[in-house]
């Protein structure tokens, strides 16, 4: 298990990064007005359909914007939104959202125990690694490696994304939304081993996870 985590970390860090421009948070705030309807004016999305961007790593945000623009990550709404964004626009937006504080949700009591067990320890019987190995014990992510922060993210959104990664790694799944822009198919491999219940549990757990909570445990 420890070896798997190390390989995942080194593989992700080896992925060639984008040459990032120097972002400007004030400019990003102005440009973020078009993002507010779905993601909230401060990056805290009012709907579980859309991700909260507040507190997300700059590198990860820029990578996802590039992925939407290139088509590597498919989403009709986002592809239209990013079509005319320059690299500087993307970096300005990323810096602005990264500086915002995310609003932590409330994990469902029905899923806390199973979700925490998976997040912190994985499932050895299914060779599922602990989520914390890449996303941090507090869900803060590892921005240098492009691993996203998960703490406070909407449970509904996380569940949809995990199922999309799982579907992308399973050719027998039909018309379900699929996501395959994860480096070296890391998330497709992990999510492909998870049941619906495990996905729901860990998605619920991270929605209520905060750095302060993890530090106190």
């Amino acid at each position: 298990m420890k070896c798997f985590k190390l390989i995942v970390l080194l593989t992700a860090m080896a992925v060639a990064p984008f040459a990032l421009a120097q972002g400007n948070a004030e400019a990003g705030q102005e440009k973020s007005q078009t993002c507010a309807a779905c993601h909230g004016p401060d990056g805290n999305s009012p709907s579980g359909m859309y991700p909260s961007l507040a507190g997300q790593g700059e590198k990860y945000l820029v990578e996802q914007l590039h992925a939407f623009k290139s088509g590597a990550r498919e989403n009709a709404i986002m592809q239209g939104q990013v079509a005319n964004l320059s690299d500087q626009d993307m970096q300005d937006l990323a810096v602005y959202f990264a500086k915002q504080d995310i609003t932590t949700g409330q994990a469902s009591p029905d899923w806390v125990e199973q979700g925490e067990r998976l997040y912190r320890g994985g499932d050895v019987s299914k060779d599922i690694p602990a989520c914390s190995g890449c996303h941090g014990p507090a869900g803060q992510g590892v921005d240098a490696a492009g691993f996203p922060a998960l703490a406070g993210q909407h449970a509904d959104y996380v569940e949809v994304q995990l199922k999309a990664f799982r579907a992308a790694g399973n050719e027998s799944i039909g018309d379900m939304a699929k996501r395959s822009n994860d480096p070296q198919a890391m998330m497709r491999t992990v999510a492909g081993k998870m049941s619906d219940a495990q996905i729901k549990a860990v998605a619920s757990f991270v929605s209520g996870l905060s750095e302060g909570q993890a530090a106190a445990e």
Side-chain angles (χ1 to χ4, degrees):
M1 185 67 69
K2 291 181 180 178
C3 182
F4 178 87
K5 292 180 187 176
L6 180 61
I7 291 172
V8 168
L9 179 60
L10 293 177
T11 300
M13 294 183 73
V15 176
F18 292 104
L20 300 180
Q22 185 66 38
N24 182 292
E26 291 185 6
Q29 184 174 15
E30 292 182 11
K31 295 170 183 178
S32 72
Q33 293 178 14
T34 57
C35 312
C38 294
H39 300 289
D42 63 349
N44 282 287
S45 173
S47 169
M49 291 177 58
Y50 308 110
S52 287
L53 305 180
Q56 190 57 265
E58 294 176 33
K59 175 181 170 63
Y60 180 75
L61 287 173
V62 172
E63 286 179 346
Q64 298 311 302
L65 289 171
H66 275 286
F68 283 125
K69 189 169 184 175
S70 70
R73 183 173 175 182
E74 297 182 10
N75 183 288
I77 295 175
M78 282 304 302
Q79 285 169 334
Q81 291 293 320
V82 303
N84 295 318
L85 291 183
S86 65
D87 287 349
Q88 184 66 59
D89 293 333
M90 293 181 186
Q91 188 61 26
D92 290 343
L93 287 167
V95 170
Y96 169 67
F97 284 123
K99 290 180 178 294
Q100 307 310 304
D101 294 325
I102 193 164
T103 301
T104 304
Q106 181 66 50
S108 169
D110 295 336
W111 297 106
V112 168
E113 183 177 350
Q114 182 180 6
E116 182 171 18
R117 185 167 60 248
L118 280 166
Y119 188 84
R120 302 200 186 285
D123 184 339
V124 176
S125 68
K126 291 188 175 182
D127 197 27
I128 298 173
C131 309
S132 59
C134 291
H135 298 284
Q140 75 274 23
V142 181
D143 193 37
F147 296 140
L150 299 179
Q153 190 57 262
H154 289 297
D156 290 346
Y157 178 77
V158 175
E159 183 175 351
V160 167
Q161 295 309 304
L162 286 172
K163 288 182 176 179
F165 280 126
R166 186 176 66 182
N170 190 337
E171 295 181 357
S172 66
I173 296 178
D175 297 331
M176 185 175 177
K178 299 178 181 179
R179 180 175 172 183
S180 56
N181 71 316
D182 51 326
Q184 307 301 314
M186 289 183 291
M187 284 307 305
R188 280 170 280 175
T189 300
V190 174
K193 301 172 183 177
M194 297 177 72
S195 67
D196 285 351
Q198 288 178 316
I199 286 175
K200 185 176 287 291
V202 80
S204 177
F205 177 71
V206 299
S207 72
L209 185 61
S210 68
E211 187 167 353
Q213 173 191 349
E217 291 176 349

